[in-house]
Amino acid sequence: QVQLVESGGGLVQAGGSLRLSCAASGSYFRSFGSLNDMGWYRQAPGKQRELVASITRGNTTNYADSVKGRFTISRADARNTVYLQMNSLKPEDTAVYYCNAHSYGKTEYWGQGTQVTVSS
């Protein structure tokens, strides 16, 4: 089993920055050194959850067009942690951000979410 815990959300003015962290823990790591693909999704009120960014075990990254050039995803497998550095934030980035991860057995895990609010 894997538990994902996000942190780093909050209220920021447009143009500001936030760094989200997602720490993974659980019995899975007794057998496996790291998770496979990890990523960040977000869900704004009244909208579907959407992929923001993802990163493979080999550090290949993928970004939604709306955040390219502003957000950077990274991972530190020694700490079982994935990060999302968000710069030049816009009001439309306001959403609940969820950490997502896949084990090597293809099991999918989700965090509880962290609120990001960008004021104009």
Side-chain angles (χ1 to χ4, degrees):
Q1 283 287 11
V2 174
Q3 294 80 43
L4 302 176
V5 178
E6 300 103 333
S7 61
L11 173 64
V12 65
Q13 289 189 330
S17 299
L18 284 174
R19 188 193 196 204
L20 304 183
S21 300
C22 172
S25 62
S27 59
Y28 169 88
F29 294 100
R30 294 186 205 134
S31 302
F32 299 94
S34 65
L35 288 160
N36 200 358
D37 295 354
M38 302 185 75
W40 291 92
Y41 286 70
R42 67 186 181 188
Q43 187 167 19
K47 294 189 176 181
Q48 288 190 330
R49 191 173 296 190
E50 62 175 359
L51 174 68
V52 176
S54 64
I55 185 166
T56 68
R57 179 63 182 86
N59 287 316
T60 298
T61 58
N62 179 51
Y63 295 93
D65 287 344
S66 59
V67 307
K68 282 180 182 175
R70 300 188 297 123
F71 291 10
T72 302
I73 190 170
S74 61
R75 60 191 290 168
D77 288 329
R79 302 191 197 95
N80 297 325
T81 301
V82 63
Y83 305 97
L84 186 68
Q85 178 67 42
M86 305 186 294
N87 298 328
S88 303
L89 282 160
K90 304 175 181 179
E92 51 264 44
D93 294 318
T94 295
V96 177
Y97 283 69
Y98 296 91
C99 181
N100 173 273
H102 292 84
S103 71
Y104 286 98
K106 305 298 184 184
T107 303
E108 186 174 39
Y109 300 96
W110 290 93
Q112 81 287 353
T114 185
Q115 177 70 46
V116 171
T117 303
V118 184
S119 63
S120 56

